[in-house]
Amino acid sequence: NNLLVGSLKVDEDLLDAVPSSLAPPIRQLKYQGLLNVNGEITIAGTSTDQGKRRLTSSKPNGFVQASPQGLAGEKGASNSSMAWNLRFDMNQAKMQIGVPIDNVFGSVNLVGVYDGQTAECRGDLNIDSLTIYDAQITNIRGPIWLDNSLASAGQFAQSKIANANFGSVGGNPAKNPNLDVQSVTGKMHEGTVRLDAQLSSGPKNEYYVQAALNDGCLATACREFGSQMENIEGHSYAAIRLAGDYSGIH
């Protein structure tokens, strides 16, 4: 079914509607802001009660197209599943991945499956701009991953995606021996930023973030941070690693 939704708020009502195994990692992102959603969702299932099932056209993968009422509302319905291929557009959004991310403008494409118990979802970032501690990063691209226990980006996401199989839903990434080293990349101070992050939905909500800036412009950085120094030349390089949980700072 085609889906087009404008100004969607990420709140508890929405989280109650997504597959239950995906709700915890999404909740830990602490997303704030409205979403525009465009794409396709398929709900499918089989039933052991032949007399009461409300199922329609057969699908090549062995599932059967069904209405939500036929899956959840009939006593005999079982083995429900979902698949989706959606684009989410963000406008001045906020979220957490171990560090606060503000002023997010852009989109993310999510392709995923849910078999009634577990969910897996891969995504591609297409972010025009965001800020981290008031530092602006632009042209952000790279992979993300969501499942029952993790929200990941960069290398941590790509290692999951390389071993995933989504069937005909949105296609599968081409097998490439270098996929497991693909970080999220962006531009900052005229240099290149690389980011890898992972956030668990366990009891402590542990996170790990590593980021690096290569070949930035030192003069641009000084201007952005308000330095009054003049005639500055050179290149800037930086790296940071953060690990901890939301029960304390490490």
Side-chain angles (χ1 to χ4, degrees):
N1 295 324
N2 293 327
L3 178 68
L4 179 61
V5 181
S7 300
L8 180 66
K9 185 178 180 180
V10 180
D11 55 16
E12 287 301 316
D13 289 337
L14 177 63
L15 292 174
D16 287 343
V18 304
S20 58
S21 53
L22 275 184
I26 294 174
R27 185 176 285 109
Q28 296 311 319
L29 293 175
K30 301 184 184 299
Y31 183 91
Q32 299 179 47
L34 300 178
L35 292 168
N36 292 330
V37 187
N38 187 12
E40 297 181 353
I41 294 180
T42 299
I43 301 174
T46 59
S47 174
T48 56
D49 188 340
Q50 300 295 324
K52 292 186 178 181
R53 72 180 177 182
R54 296 168 61 184
L55 308 174
T56 57
S57 57
S58 296
K59 306 294 286 183
N61 60 7
F63 289 104
V64 180
Q65 189 76 27
S67 66
Q69 291 84 1
L71 292 172
E74 299 286 355
K75 180 179 180 181
S78 62
N79 299 327
S80 62
S81 68
M82 292 178 62
W84 56 91
N85 186 349
L86 300 170
R87 189 187 76 196
F88 297 84
D89 294 305
M90 296 170 283
N91 185 11
Q92 205 169 4
K94 298 181 180 182
M95 67 187 77
Q96 286 269 353
I97 57 167
V99 294
I101 298 178
D102 300 310
N103 303 310
V104 182
F105 294 87
S107 65
V108 57
N109 289 87
L110 296 179
V111 175
V113 292
Y114 174 62
D115 64 6
Q117 295 183 338
T118 61
E120 293 183 339
C121 181
R122 64 175 171 86
D124 296 296
L125 295 176
N126 187 16
I127 304 298
D128 298 323
S129 176
L130 59 78
T131 58
I132 299 178
Y133 295 123
D134 295 327
Q136 185 183 42
I137 305 175
T138 61
N139 195 31
I140 299 155
R141 305 290 185 270
I144 63 172
W145 174 268
L146 295 169
D147 63 22
N148 294 34
S149 59
L150 292 172
S152 307
Q155 295 184 40
F156 300 116
Q158 196 61 65
S159 62
K160 294 281 190 180
I161 293 170
N163 297 316
N165 183 2
F166 293 95
S168 61
V169 182
N172 287 300
K175 297 299 181 182
N176 185 322
N178 296 321
L179 279 179
D180 60 345
V181 295
Q182 183 178 348
S183 299
V184 172
T185 61
K187 303 298 290 185
M188 177 174 148
H189 303 158
E190 302 180 32
T192 299
V193 173
R194 297 186 178 275
L195 171 72
D196 306 290
Q198 185 162 275
L199 173 64
S200 76
S201 57
K204 291 186 177 181
N205 301 325
E206 297 174 323
Y207 62 84
Y208 178 85
V209 180
Q210 60 184 25
L213 169 66
N214 293 313
D215 202 24
C217 176
L218 188 58
T220 300
C222 289
R223 285 196 301 270
E224 184 168 318
F225 290 121
S227 172
Q228 301 301 315
M229 299 178 66
E230 298 180 355
N231 301 321
I232 296 175
E233 296 182 357
H235 298 272
S236 57
Y237 298 84
I240 186 171
R241 292 183 181 180
L242 299 174
D245 59 60
Y246 287 121
S247 65
I249 300 175
H250 302 268

